[in-house]
Amino acid sequence: METTFKDESCCPGGSTEYSEDFRDMEKYRFISIAGDDRNSRKLILFYSCRLPPAAEIEHERLLEYLRKTLDSYVENDYSLIYFHYGLNSKNKPSYTWLIQAYKAFDRKYKKNLKALYIVHATNFIKVMFTILRPIISRKFGRKIRYINRLEELKEFTHYDQLEIPSEVTEFDQRKGLKIQRNIRNANEENLFVFGVSLKQLLLREDRQIPLIVERCCQYIADNGLEKEGIFRRSANFSTLNEVINNLNDGKDINFSSYGDIHLPAALLKKWLRELPEPLLTFEANNFLEHFDGKRDDNHLTFIKELIQNLPKENYTLLLYILEFLKK
């Protein structure tokens, strides 16, 4: 469904209102409307792969076109799906424009946005949100959900209604084949979710954040932020072991069916405890065990350097967990 803005006379009493003609933008088809999501909210899709080279488009006009499109839907609850695949050095907007765009979409646009799904996110997206953190509200940050595979959208959308470009589908299929190859090449012990190295798990899942961590954090963020002492109390011992065994057998879990908000919190703690090497690595842990907690500038500088020099996958996950804990 394409959105077209045409000149139209509309106002009682003889006044005339004109809408700008955006046919030069519409021809690229980088935005579409896909009915409603599973919560009956209007669903708006944006495709990076359809953005033209930056030299061929006026980004001020692009911003105005996006605002005009959203104006038709923002009075009610709505969701956005951003397909990141296809963004490259030729069509990527500047950092200055990204800040300008975020500020241009004021409370009118953010208030009723209930979810922003980012499909096939890369490190660029993670870094961008880290850089923009000082101006992005914590409430807005909670609305962002990363989607690693297209099939994950089926949980939130009427998937058959989505218009997904063939190049995005093909990229997703390549990711799926890569994951399958990783699984076939892994021995049975490596199929476990608990007790395996972070790097090994990420390689097998082809993700930047382990699925178990993302699922636990997302469920707690959606259902347990107001629950006091969520990480102090443990879940039922037998239930916890049952879920761990199911995960290690490759089975999916539905936290809602257990009715215990402490379960994902306990799983997250146990997963972190059972990493063969601590998230902060043995080297960093050895120093921190002797750190007296005083705010000495030399100590703080050294800690900062330790964190910045963590392996890439450890550093990324640490930032993810710290962002979650800030909620």
Side-chain angles (χ1 to χ4, degrees), residues 8-21:
E8 54 181 16
S9 300
C10 62
C11 299
S15 63
T16 302
E17 180 180 341
Y18 293 100
S19 295
E20 191 172 356
D21 186 346

Side-chain angles (χ1 to χ4, degrees), residues 104-278:
F105 291 106
D106 54 22
R107 187 174 184 276
K108 167 186 173 181
Y109 299 93
K110 298 168 187 170
K111 179 181 67 172
N112 290 327
L113 173 64
K114 299 305 176 183
L116 169 58
Y117 303 103
I118 301 178
V119 182
H120 299 146
T122 61
N123 282 334
F124 168 76
I125 286 290
K126 306 284 185 178
V127 170
M128 184 189 74
F129 277 110
T130 300
I131 294 174
L132 294 178
R133 189 183 304 148
I135 65 171
I136 293 180
S137 70
R138 189 173 300 181
K139 186 175 181 181
F140 182 80
R142 295 194 195 112
K143 301 177 182 182
I144 299 172
R145 299 186 180 185
Y146 293 104
I147 303 295
N148 194 49
R149 296 291 311 284
L150 290 177
E151 61 186 18
E152 296 173 26
L153 289 172
K154 295 177 181 179
E155 180 180 349
F156 314 104
T157 70
H158 301 287
Y159 188 75
D160 57 342
Q161 296 180 7
L162 303 184
E163 177 194 348
I164 301 179
S166 58
E167 52 263 56
V168 174
T169 302
E170 291 167 2
F171 173 74
D172 188 76
Q173 290 171 348
R174 292 196 297 272
K175 283 180 68 71
L177 290 173
K178 182 178 179 181
I179 293 173
Q180 291 175 13
R181 285 196 300 269
N182 291 339
I183 292 176
R184 284 198 301 267
N185 293 335
N187 58 43
E188 186 172 345
E189 181 182 358
N190 289 341
L191 292 179
F192 283 8
V193 173
F194 289 79
V196 299
S197 73
L198 174 60
K199 188 171 185 177
Q200 188 177 32
L201 185 59
L202 292 176
L203 177 63
R204 175 169 20 110
E205 294 184 344
D206 192 27
R207 301 176 66 91
Q208 295 176 332
I209 302 297
L211 182 59
I212 177 64
V213 176
E214 193 170 287
R215 290 282 300 277
C216 289
C217 291
Q218 190 61 62
Y219 189 82
I220 294 170
D222 290 343
N223 302 278
L225 291 183
E226 305 301 322
K227 187 72 174 180
E228 185 176 351
I230 189 170
F231 285 104
R232 290 201 305 268
R233 288 183 52 190
S234 183
N236 178 272
F237 181 77
S238 60
T239 302
L240 183 63
N241 283 336
E242 174 191 330
V243 173
I244 290 173
N245 289 334
N246 286 338
L247 288 168
N248 281 336
D249 288 339
K251 298 177 182 177
D252 195 15
I253 56 169
N254 181 2
F255 287 128
S256 300
S257 65
Y258 291 95
D260 182 6
I261 190 61
H262 298 285
L263 178 59
L267 278 173
L268 180 59
K269 290 190 297 181
K270 189 168 182 62
W271 182 84
L272 287 168
R273 283 198 300 265
E274 293 194 0
L275 284 172
E277 181 174 44

Side-chain angles (χ1 to χ4, degrees), residues 61-96:
R61 187 164 171 75
L62 168 61
L63 182 57
E64 186 61 25
Y65 172 54
L66 295 176
R67 293 179 61 179
K68 286 285 187 180
T69 302
L70 292 178
D71 279 344
S72 302
Y73 306 102
V74 296
E75 295 302 321
N76 300 301
D77 291 351
Y78 71 103
S79 300
L80 280 171
I81 300 180
Y82 167 67
F83 294 91
H84 182 64
Y85 176 74
L87 194 70
N88 53 54
S89 58
K90 293 182 179 180
N91 64 2
K92 185 188 299 181
S94 68
Y95 170 65
T96 302

